[in-house]
Amino acid sequence: MAAPDDSTDTVLCAVEGRTGVITLNRPRALNALTHPMVLRIAEALTGWERDPGVEQVLLRGAGERGLCAGGDIRAIHDDAKAGTRASAAFWRDEYRLNAHIARYPKPYVALMDGIVMGGGVGVSAHGGVRVVTERSRVAMPETGIGFVPDVGGTHLLARAPGLLGTHLALTGSAVGAADALLCGLADHFVPADRLPALTSELAGAPAREAVERYAAEPGPGTLADGRDWIDHCYAAATVEEIVDRLLAYGDPAAKEAAETILGKSPTALKVTLESVRRAAALGALEPVLEQEFRVSCNALTSPDLVEGIRAQVVDKDRSPRWSPATLGEVTEQDVARFFAPLAGGGRGIAEWTPEG
């Protein structure tokens, strides 16, 4: 068996007709991204960008459970505990890849089938032709592990209609096909049983035309009916006020959202709200990724990141002990620390090196 980080096996790259095909190939790990995988994807995209024989790119995941469940958070947990900088190096290259995908000059088709979370959103939802199925579950669930949405996620969520993105950012809730389309996280719904035929046709047909031939109408979502309470409650100035509004609104879905939020890291919640609002003001993806890089690197020294991953992934006791434990204990200074310049002159993604 190949080593888990051997990108030649964990990312399969091939040219089929006019299409460069990237297959994330860690099905047992829900195709979670490692640093070598990110570098392999970037290398393939760069090569195909210059290859006139490749007219478009297709991204898919091996297995039937999902495109990609995110980054390898066990590795991030170990890195944060050790106080080393491997995670920052990974994020640097991952966020560069996200920006490359967003500005890719050729059609980039992402099959967002099954679970698409965290880093999986980063390698798919910035593409130009994003396909969801009835099996899709799309989420940025970072607040549940004491982290903050990254990979350009705050950019995507800030652009969702009304305050739907803020709702998804704070709760970490997964959405299905209809709601992913509503929030601007996807472009087309294609039934899962049509994906093999679509993939075959992409070898010889223009991407957008092929996808439109296989597209259909998704079933009903849930977010559209909740716009009134979502837009009212999440317009509050602070996370505490948002929770108060949700609890007072009188809608069972709003109460459920409040209870979900209260189970997340208080620090991560406040930093996430600030991140999404700053992302809306920044506008373009690249400066948002620079902001996310600072936030992510500064999160490595937060106790909640290690504790959240421990509770959800390592020990799986689902009982994180957040520090601070309540929203009221998280100060403005605590939040501001996450947006502070990095050591070594505050260099961003382009210039940052593990040596500082």
Side-chain angles (χ1 to χ4, degrees):
M1 178 180 290
D5 62 350
D6 184 347
S7 65
T8 60
D9 286 335
T10 56
V11 177
L12 306 178
C13 300
V15 176
E16 299 178 6
R18 66 171 71 196
T19 302
V21 180
I22 299 172
T23 305
L24 307 182
N25 191 38
R26 295 184 71 206
R28 290 191 201 176
L30 279 171
N31 300 317
L33 295 171
T34 64
H35 197 170
M37 290 172 70
V38 164
L39 296 174
R40 177 71 177 118
I41 297 168
E43 178 186 42
L45 291 179
T46 298
W48 289 336
E49 188 172 349
R50 301 166 182 160
D51 185 346
V54 175
E55 298 179 11
Q56 55 204 22
V57 171
L58 172 67
L59 175 76
R60 63 187 180 184
E64 297 184 352
R65 297 170 63 199
L67 171 67
C68 176
D72 188 342
I73 59 174
R74 278 183 176 267
I76 294 171
H77 170 271
D78 295 345
D79 187 45
K81 281 191 72 174
T84 48
R85 311 187 81 182
S87 296
F90 167 64
W91 290 325
R92 173 200 59 196
D93 292 325
E94 184 182 25
Y95 300 174
R96 285 173 173 171
L97 174 61
N98 302 148
H100 191 186
I101 290 169
R103 63 173 182 265
Y104 204 66
K106 299 180 180 182
Y108 181 100
V109 183
L111 300 185
M112 301 170 69
D113 185 34
I115 292 173
V116 185
M117 297 184 178
V121 173
V123 294
S124 60
H126 297 298
V129 186
R130 305 163 300 174
V131 176
V132 285
T133 75
E134 72 277 8
R135 302 187 298 203
S136 296
R137 302 298 294 164
V138 184
M140 296 298 297
E142 285 76 11
T143 55
I145 58 167
F147 196 46
V148 178
D150 66 335
V151 298
T154 60
H155 171 76
L156 295 165
L157 295 173
R159 299 171 66 193
L163 293 172
L164 292 175
T166 304
H167 167 65
L168 296 182
L170 295 183
T171 61
S173 298
V175 296
D179 288 331
L181 292 168
L182 172 64
C183 292
L185 300 172
D187 305 300
H188 302 278
F189 170 77
V190 175
D193 61 5
R194 298 183 188 178
L195 293 183
L198 169 60
T199 300
S200 295
E201 186 163 332
L202 283 169
R208 290 180 176 85
E209 294 178 13
V211 170
E212 287 174 2
R213 279 195 288 274
Y214 287 88
E217 289 297 318
T222 62
L223 292 180
D225 290 341
R227 283 292 302 275
D228 287 345
W229 64 262
I230 289 172
D231 289 349
H232 168 72
C233 296
Y234 289 94
T238 66
V239 179
E240 293 96 323
E241 292 174 79
I242 289 171
V243 170
D244 288 344
R245 287 192 185 188
L246 290 168
L247 291 172
Y249 197 83
D251 188 305
K255 182 176 184 291
E256 181 181 353
E259 292 170 347
T260 297
I261 289 170
L262 289 172
K264 311 300 184 183
S265 158
T267 300
L269 288 168
K270 289 199 170 184
V271 177
T272 293
L273 182 61
E274 181 69 11
S275 293
V276 172
R277 289 177 173 174
R278 289 191 183 203
L282 288 169
L285 174 61
E286 284 79 2
V288 174
L289 287 167
E290 292 285 355
Q291 171 177 282
E292 290 179 348
F293 186 64
R294 294 195 303 274
V295 170
S296 297
C297 290
N298 287 323
L300 283 173
T301 60
S302 167
D304 279 4
L305 179 58
V306 170
E307 174 61 13
I309 298 174
R310 180 207 64 77
Q312 298 298 334
V313 178
V314 180
D315 296 337
K316 299 182 180 179
D317 59 30
R318 307 293 191 266
S319 298
R321 296 178 290 275
W322 305 123
S323 178
T326 66
L327 288 166
E329 294 175 273
V330 182
T331 68
E332 292 182 5
Q333 290 73 26
D334 292 333
V335 173
R337 180 184 72 80
F338 284 79
F339 298 90
L342 302 177
R347 288 174 294 181
I349 300 173
E351 294 82 22
W352 186 89
T353 65
E355 290 72 34

